Amino acid sequence: MRGAPRGGGAGARSAITGWSGGYPEIVKENALFERYYREQAVVPAAEWDAFMAALREPLPATLRITGYKSHAREIRHCLKERFFAELRGLRVDGQEVEMPQPLSWYPEELAWHTNLSRKILRKSPQLEKFHQFLVSETECGNISRQEAVSMIPPLLLNVNPHHKILDMCAAPGSKTAQLIEMLHADMNDPFPKGFVIANDVDNKRCYLLVHQAKRLNSPCIMVVNHDASSIPNLQIDVDGKKEVLFYDRILCDVPCSGDGTMRKNIDVWKKWTTQNSLQLHGLQLRIATRGVEQLAEGGRMVYSTCSLNPIENEAVIAALLEKSQGALELADVSSELPGLKRMPGITKWKVMLKDGQWFEEWKDVPLNRQTQIRPTMFPVKDEEKLKAMNLERCLRILPHHQNTGGFFVAVLIKKSPMPWNKRQPKVHQKLPQRTEDAEVTTNADDGSEDTAEEPTLAENEESKKMQESQNSDTEQSKKGGVCGPPPSKKMKMFGFKEDPFVFLPEDDPLFEPIQKFYALDPSFPKMNLLTRTQEGKKRQLYMVSKELRNVLLNNSEKMKVINTGIKVWSRNSDGEQFGCAFRLAQEGIYTLYPFIHARIINVCIEDVKILLTQENPFLSKFSSETQKKVKDMAMGSIVLKYDPDPEKPDELQCPIVLCGWQGKTSLRAFVPKNERLHYLRMMGVEVFKAKRKEEESEGKTEEEGQYGAAQTEEGMDVEDKEHDLVTKMEAEIGEESSHSPVESSAMEVENKIEDLGQFSKNSNNHVSQESKDSDTNDVKD
């Protein structure tokens, strides 16, 4: 919804931080808001004053440690023992800095909140080192500035690595990142059987979503661009037969009016009316309905909003439960996330027009208002039906209970097919005959208990007819491993025209020298390699899991894929003379490493420090063991592996795998700058002064120049488009991080705005209209 709050403009920043921008301070009063919520009784009467007082206070900054578990533990240790310890007793502007505290309900102390304001972090010399740590770790995806309540929905999905997941309204991607992390809970499994399909209706924000998700370097994520309320049914190939893809987990984080974000987006105070919720209710119900249609039996869907309004929350859930006729039930999650204070869902509420007129029942609504107010907005009157719905199992987070934003979550379990999906289409009638097949189905393969029965639920007839009409073309494309974008005659697409996904043919001569050079294991899934071009030299090779390959090959005519796959090899013309034209890419090294049996050099921690701090060090600088290992090795791309020594607990205790290049007399690492800084910090190397000196230097180091040249040579098609778009949006917004373009937080790369003085009015408008913080559930288009 265009008029709804999305990013908090300069007026909000001025009111909170006192920056001089020439904009009047927003008064945190709204009589209609108070009247509405007092009457709805979503807040206990005795707590009303505390509730309103909390809404008028700035929202504490919260951060979540991201990434895979062993690295996450190291970052947590670094935060607690080094940076948080330095804050103890520190006074800034005459006030003692409050110590950051872990969120009591978030597992393993991987989420923290602090009352350090953005202005203090940026301007205080005492906190400069801490601020640079936050900026750098956010840039390389190890820390995410995410509002506390926004972290709840993925946790309540109970994701396992084998789950097929749909994130319906995913941008900007903080929750999507959580889901990806859960898939990769076991670092020893490079290809989890599950995957995440992350969708968003807005083309621009799809590229921001890609930017966020790619920081986690997963082969199990696909970003698509569709209207969530009509996202197409997808098909997968199971033993040569088409079956409908149903998801084990669905995150349905819908567009909302956003009044739970008043502490951060303070312009909500003056813009809030009941009209927003009335206009969004229908869309929210359509999206939620489409979600449960695609949910597998036994699957779990989380519906969430950053609104406190029952019209957007309980009314949507009640309407969904009623039309499901027993196919859905609300899960009791009262025992999950212990330590999280929550209020139960309500069973009685009323509907209010923007002029303040109340309606308790649909029959009271005059004809001229029945386009604004719909029957599904009212509570169920039948007491037995109402009791059976268990609406109290919904949970509403109130700001004053744990110093957070406002939020609503409902967890739905699908017990049986939706009533309108029960009829079995003819295309699936022969499926039961396959019970004698030796191979199990993909659904059973990926570990879900109930989805093997899902072929009895099928896509609608229109979708089936479209598929049948496309079969000959699709089969021809599949033979060539080509997954093209949807043809323009079938669907009008906006935004960039995407290049096709072309899987490497089994007999492609390009692969043999790669396999030989790196001694790839016979189990390496080479059929999962793809490129983004059908003609000319292949400049990069990407990889997806076999499950996503199945989805791509069988649905190219149905969906608009923005991005998928992780880069694993990049063409390097110098490498041809050494037997392989492709060097390893750092983005995909953790996925590739388990399959590589040659050109691996185990290095000690001192060698790692040299690799990460020196541009192109001579071999003589390394340990004698390393020199011996590389002595007889041919020049070219190599793997540099550090394994922690448990007998040396003071050293880094998580493994590191780096891409390197062995020259004639030198050894170097091909690692992005921020990732270098991350590893050095984890090893206790002081990088603060080096970083400051680097920032003051006008020229790039030789290492950066060569790395940049390699990047230019790679010329990744979709990444170029994404980079251009992100750069353009950042330039317009003026304040967003180049590596975290949709996060407006204390962890942003803020040196870009140090010299601006004040924001222009146009920039403020753009932030309000086109930017979304990833730290909330956020209002979505």
Side-chain angles (χ1 to χ4, degrees):
M1 179 178 167
R2 284 289 168 194
R6 298 185 58 182
R13 285 189 291 271
S14 180
I16 294 174
T17 64
W19 294 359
S20 57
Y23 297 95
E25 184 170 319
I26 293 174
V27 178
K28 298 178 182 179
E29 299 285 348
N30 188 309
L32 188 65
F33 173 87
E34 293 198 41
R35 180 188 166 200
Y36 182 79
Y37 280 111
R38 275 185 184 272
E39 190 71 22
Q40 298 286 29
V42 298
V43 180
E47 300 178 20
W48 181 260
D49 290 342
F51 167 71
M52 291 303 298
L55 285 180
R56 294 185 174 101
E57 289 296 318
L59 187 69
T62 48
L63 60 90
R64 183 173 62 81
I65 299 169
T66 66
Y68 303 150
K69 285 193 171 180
S70 60
H71 283 244
R73 286 192 288 268
E74 289 296 325
I75 296 169
R76 181 187 62 195
H77 176 79
C78 186
L79 272 172
K80 290 175 66 174
E81 303 303 322
R82 194 180 313 166
F83 292 102
F84 290 167
E86 291 178 3
L87 298 179
R88 188 172 286 109
L90 184 65
R91 299 184 71 85
V92 176
D93 294 340
Q95 293 187 339
E96 187 169 339
V97 171
E98 185 176 317
M99 286 296 292
Q101 297 296 323
L103 298 179
S104 61
W105 46 267
Y106 200 95
E108 301 184 49
E109 291 190 345
L110 292 177
W112 294 73
H113 71 92
T114 171
N115 281 344
L116 283 170
S117 76
R118 172 192 175 93
K119 179 182 178 182
I120 288 176
L121 273 170
R122 291 179 61 241
K123 299 297 185 184
S124 301
Q126 306 101 307
L127 298 173
E128 190 173 6
K129 190 185 297 185
F130 180 43
H131 181 234
Q132 286 195 3
F133 168 81
L134 296 177
V135 168
S136 182
E137 292 299 323
T138 300
E139 287 177 345
C140 56
N142 296 315
I143 284 177
S144 173
R145 206 292 196 153
Q146 182 179 358
E147 190 184 342
V149 290
S150 173
M151 305 173 194
I152 297 171
L155 293 177
L156 290 178
L157 271 177
N158 291 350
V159 169
N160 288 317
H162 64 268
H163 283 149
K164 300 181 292 292
I165 307 166
L166 173 63
D167 190 350
M168 299 187 76
C169 308
S174 58
K175 298 181 189 68
T176 309
Q178 279 181 272
L179 298 174
I180 297 170
E181 292 164 33
M182 293 170 184
L183 285 182
H184 290 277
D186 180 5
M187 279 191 70
N188 296 318
D189 184 2
F191 290 104
K193 290 183 179 178
F195 56 78
V196 178
I197 294 180
N199 174 71
D200 201 84
V201 67
D202 187 286
N203 184 265
K204 281 186 178 180
R205 284 172 33 217
C206 278
Y207 286 90
L208 301 180
L209 172 59
V210 169
H211 204 73
Q212 292 276 61
K214 277 174 51 187
R215 297 185 306 173
L216 292 175
N217 298 329
S218 170
C220 305
I221 171 71
M222 179 189 293
V223 176
V224 299
N225 180 204
H226 290 279
D227 178 355
S229 64
S230 58
I231 191 168
N233 289 306
L234 303 183
Q235 292 184 325
I236 52 176
D237 189 294
V238 181
D239 298 332
K241 297 182 184 292
K242 294 287 183 69
E243 290 191 4
V244 180
L245 171 61
F246 290 90
Y247 301 93
D248 304 298
R249 298 289 186 266
I250 294 180
L251 178 56
C252 184
D253 184 40
V254 297
C256 68
S257 62
D259 57 24
T261 70
M262 296 176 98
R263 301 182 66 180
K264 177 174 64 68
N265 300 320
I266 64 172
D267 53 344
V268 179
W269 282 96
K270 64 178 182 179
K271 293 180 178 179
W272 187 92
T273 79
T274 58
Q275 191 67 18
N276 293 341
S277 60
L278 298 181
Q279 291 175 343
L280 284 165
H281 169 88
L283 174 63
Q284 292 162 342
L285 181 55
R286 290 194 301 276
I287 293 174
T289 301
R290 190 69 187 119
V292 294
E293 284 177 343
Q294 300 200 335
L295 187 64
E297 285 187 59
R300 177 179 279 218
M301 184 176 92
V302 169
Y303 175 91
S304 60
T305 75
C306 55
S307 169
L308 300 173
N309 199 324
I311 307 303
E312 302 177 62
N313 298 327
E314 285 91 347
V316 173
I317 297 300
L320 195 58
L321 290 171
E322 187 166 28
K323 70 195 295 189
S324 79
Q325 299 177 19
L328 302 172
E329 74 171 17
L330 276 168
D332 182 358
V333 293
S334 57
S335 62
E336 300 183 33
L337 304 186
L340 176 66
K341 295 181 182 177
R342 81 267 328 250
M343 293 293 292
I346 61 176
T347 57
K348 304 293 182 186
W349 62 87
K350 297 186 290 186
V351 179
M352 179 199 274
L353 289 173
K354 65 179 180 180
D355 61 6
Q357 185 179 3
W358 287 103
F359 298 99
E360 295 194 23
E361 296 185 60
W362 167 248
K363 64 181 179 64
D364 299 331
V365 180
L367 285 173
N368 66 339
R369 297 294 191 183
Q370 289 184 7
T371 55
Q372 294 175 276
I373 299 178
R374 305 303 302 152
T376 52
M377 295 178 182
F378 293 90
V380 174
K381 291 299 180 184
D382 186 313
E383 290 297 329
E384 285 190 15
K385 276 187 178 180
L386 189 62
K387 185 177 180 181
M389 286 181 176
N390 296 309
L391 288 178
E392 70 281 353
R393 291 181 177 177
C394 301
L395 50 137
R396 184 177 272 101
I397 310 299
L398 298 179
H400 63 290
H401 283 168
Q402 287 179 299
N403 199 13
T404 64
F407 211 70
F408 175 89
V409 185
V411 182
L412 292 155
I413 304 293
K414 189 172 182 178
K415 309 298 288 184
S416 62
M418 301 303 287
W420 55 90
N421 284 144
K422 284 185 177 178
R423 186 165 62 85
Q424 181 176 340
K426 294 178 182 178
V427 70
H428 290 290
Q429 286 179 352
K430 293 184 179 180
L431 287 175
Q433 296 176 8
R434 294 184 295 106
T435 55
E436 298 177 2
D437 289 358
E439 296 293 327
V440 293
T441 66
T442 299
N443 286 337
D445 240 2
D446 70 8
S448 57
E449 303 79 8
D450 299 292
T451 51
E453 299 300 321
E454 278 298 324
T456 59
L457 308 180
E459 61 182 339
N460 56 50
E461 293 294 327
E462 180 185 353
S463 174
K464 186 189 75 173
K465 289 175 182 175
M466 181 183 292
Q467 180 62 35
E468 289 172 351
S469 70
Q470 295 166 356
N471 271 347
S472 58
D473 293 339
T474 302
E475 291 304 318
Q476 190 63 35
S477 293
K478 284 174 63 179
K479 286 178 183 176
V482 180
C483 305
S488 57
K489 65 178 181 180
K490 298 246 190 290
M491 196 181 302
K492 188 174 182 181
M493 292 296 182
F494 297 92
F496 294 115
K497 179 184 177 183
E498 293 303 323
D499 294 314
F501 294 86
V502 186
F503 283 94
L504 218 61
E506 194 167 1
D507 57 351
D508 194 314
L510 179 146
F511 182 71
E512 187 178 349
I514 294 176
Q515 187 172 31
K516 185 177 179 181
F517 191 74
Y518 297 102
L520 295 179
D521 193 89
S523 66
F524 178 76
K526 62 181 180 181
M527 292 296 288
N528 298 352
L529 288 172
L530 59 87
T531 64
R532 295 303 300 271
T533 179
Q534 288 180 268
E535 300 175 359
K537 269 191 174 182
K538 298 175 176 65
R539 292 179 293 181
Q540 294 86 29
L541 296 180
Y542 307 95
M543 176 165 275
V544 294
S545 64
K546 70 175 183 179
E547 289 77 13
L548 277 187
R549 181 182 190 274
N550 195 341
V551 173
L552 272 169
L553 284 176
N554 287 287
N555 299 279
S556 62
E557 302 296 323
K558 286 186 173 185
M559 60 181 184
K560 183 181 179 185
V561 179
I562 299 298
N563 192 259
T564 191
I566 179 174
K567 190 196 305 180
V568 287
W569 279 291
S570 293
R571 182 176 290 277
N572 187 314
S573 55
D574 291 338
E576 292 185 16
Q577 59 185 303
F578 307 123
C580 183
F582 285 85
R583 69 171 180 84
L584 297 163
Q586 182 67 27
E587 295 96 308
I589 192 60
Y590 285 96
T591 299
L592 270 186
Y593 174 74
F595 300 99
I596 297 175
H597 295 307
R599 307 195 60 75
I600 299 174
I601 300 175
N602 289 93
V603 291
C604 65
I605 196 164
E606 294 304 320
D607 287 340
V608 176
K609 291 176 183 177
I610 292 171
L611 285 163
L612 297 178
T613 56
Q614 298 188 27
E615 296 167 11
N616 203 10
F618 287 111
L619 286 171
S620 58
K621 293 189 175 183
F622 293 93
S623 64
S624 57
E625 291 83 0
T626 298
Q627 292 184 50
K628 288 176 185 176
K629 290 172 187 174
V630 302
K631 183 178 180 183
D632 299 321
M633 191 177 289
M635 290 190 288
S637 185
I638 56 172
V639 178
L640 301 157
K641 174 74 185 299
Y642 163 76
D643 288 306
D645 186 347
E647 295 183 3
K648 298 179 180 178
D650 292 337
E651 291 185 355
L652 183 66
Q653 289 300 302
C654 66
I656 296 177
V657 184
L658 306 175
C659 291
W661 185 273
Q662 181 190 343
K664 193 171 183 179
T665 59
S666 63
L667 193 64
R668 61 175 300 181
F670 269 108
V671 181
K673 181 177 67 176
N674 282 317
E675 201 166 334
R676 287 172 178 257
L677 295 177
H678 160 69
Y679 287 130
L680 289 170
R681 282 194 193 91
M682 296 304 101
M683 291 184 290
V685 176
E686 177 61 69
V687 297
F688 177 72
K689 291 179 181 177
K691 183 173 175 63
R692 169 60 63 84
K693 185 178 179 181
E694 180 184 273
E695 288 173 348
E696 290 173 352
S697 174
E698 291 183 0
K700 288 185 175 181
T701 64
E702 178 187 346
E703 191 279 330
E704 285 179 294
Q706 291 180 16
Y707 185 76
Q711 293 277 46
T712 302
E713 178 188 356
E714 292 163 9
M716 177 174 168
D717 298 319
V718 72
E719 286 182 359
D720 288 344
K721 297 169 185 174
E722 172 204 325
H723 181 269
D724 291 344
L725 176 64
V726 171
T727 303
K728 181 174 182 290
M729 294 184 74
E730 286 165 2
E732 291 169 344
I733 294 171
E735 185 179 17
E736 304 294 4
S737 159
S738 62
H739 288 263
S740 184
V742 290
E743 294 182 359
S744 175
S745 70
M747 278 62 87
E748 290 169 352
V749 186
E750 298 172 84
N751 56 4
K752 292 197 297 183
I753 60 168
E754 294 289 348
D755 300 324
L756 293 180
Q758 65 179 26
F759 298 101
S760 70
K761 189 171 183 179
N762 288 339
S763 290
N764 295 325
N765 289 339
H766 188 91
V767 172
S768 178
Q769 290 296 320
E770 295 292 281
S771 170
K772 271 185 65 181
D773 277 12
S774 69
D775 59 342
T776 73
N777 182 43
D778 290 316
V779 180
K780 302 181 177 180
D781 269 340

